[in-house]
Amino acid sequence: NKGKVTVNKTYSDAQIATLNSAFYGSTRSLTNYISTVSRGNSSVNPVLTYKNNSEGKVYVYTAKHPLGYYLPYSSSNPIGYKNGYYFDRTELFSNAFAALKKYIPSNLDLDVDDNGYIDSIDFFTPYCGAWNDFLWSHSWVVQDGSQSANGAKLNGYNQITFPTNNTNVYKTITHEYMHTIGFPDQYT
């Protein structure tokens, strides 16, 4: 079923509740964080596609390539990317978006600032690579820019590892979203 969309039956109710809380919770959520740090002057309105279909289904894209393709090259992984050059692997998200965009409500404004690009989109991957590998949570841009929905092009994205990063998903979602609105990493 590579390159296809299926209805995921592996996300538990508890995992869905964790995602809901990470985006919408009254504390320790993306919406709460943005409101708090802006002192109520800014807000974010996340839209989770599984909340917009009548059955509450989570749609999952299965990549065309095996896992090793998205991991660094090694003698035991000859199909991996070399020398940290994983940017060409962003076709994973272009392909996923192409397969999943039919599930995005047609009346959803994906480009509130009217610059022609989707304002923010998160892709969740069930595998967490090592720090700074392609499958480590990150914010980046797709390389081909050929996909669009509702009049907006896919450009920037956030990749979040979940459920493998279940305990810190709120922090990860918030951290990557802050890159979307222009904030750099501030590691100390």
Side-chain angles (χ1 to χ4, degrees):
N1 242 358
K2 293 181 178 182
K4 303 292 182 193
V5 174
T6 57
V7 176
N8 186 316
K9 298 179 181 5
T10 60
Y11 281 90
S12 69
D13 290 343
Q15 288 168 328
I16 296 297
T18 297
L19 280 180
N20 286 337
S21 178
F23 280 102
Y24 302 108
S26 59
T27 61
R28 298 181 49 85
S29 71
L30 175 62
T31 53
N32 177 261
Y33 181 82
I34 296 297
S35 178
T36 300
V37 299
S38 71
R39 296 186 176 147
N41 292 309
S42 294
S43 63
V44 62
N45 183 25
V47 176
L48 305 177
T49 55
Y50 66 83
K51 294 183 84 142
N52 290 308
N53 63 66
S54 59
E55 299 87 22
K57 293 178 182 175
V58 174
Y59 297 100
V60 174
Y61 173 78
T62 302
K64 292 180 180 181
H65 299 286
L67 176 62
Y69 178 79
Y70 303 103
L71 298 174
Y73 171 86
S74 69
S75 60
S76 62
N77 184 32
I79 63 171
Y81 56 86
K82 295 182 179 180
N83 302 324
Y85 188 75
Y86 56 72
F87 307 113
D88 63 339
R89 300 309 198 245
T90 63
E91 105 287 329
L92 169 65
F93 302 113
S94 292
N95 293 341
F97 185 79
L100 294 165
K101 68 183 180 180
K102 65 183 171 188
Y103 302 106
I104 297 172
S106 60
N107 63 344
L108 182 61
D109 185 0
L110 299 173
D111 182 21
V112 174
D113 63 0
D114 293 325
N115 68 352
Y117 296 100
I118 296 172
D119 294 328
S120 180
I121 188 166
D122 292 345
F123 293 97
F124 294 87
T125 57
Y127 182 87
C128 184
W131 185 82
N132 210 28
D133 284 349
F134 180 65
L135 292 180
W136 183 264
S137 294
H138 65 274
S139 183
W140 198 249
V141 295
V142 295
Q143 297 302 301
D144 69 7
S146 65
Q147 295 299 324
S148 64
N150 301 355
K153 288 181 83 171
L154 175 64
N155 185 38
Y157 69 86
N158 298 319
Q159 184 264 319
I160 311 294
T161 55
F162 182 81
T164 55
N165 189 11
N166 207 1
T167 57
N168 291 315
V169 72
Y170 144 74
K171 293 176 185 177
T172 304
I173 287 169
T174 302
H175 175 95
E176 300 307 341
Y177 178 78
M178 296 305 287
H179 290 314
T180 300
I181 59 175
F183 286 83
D185 282 321
Q186 295 292 317
Y187 299 120
T188 56

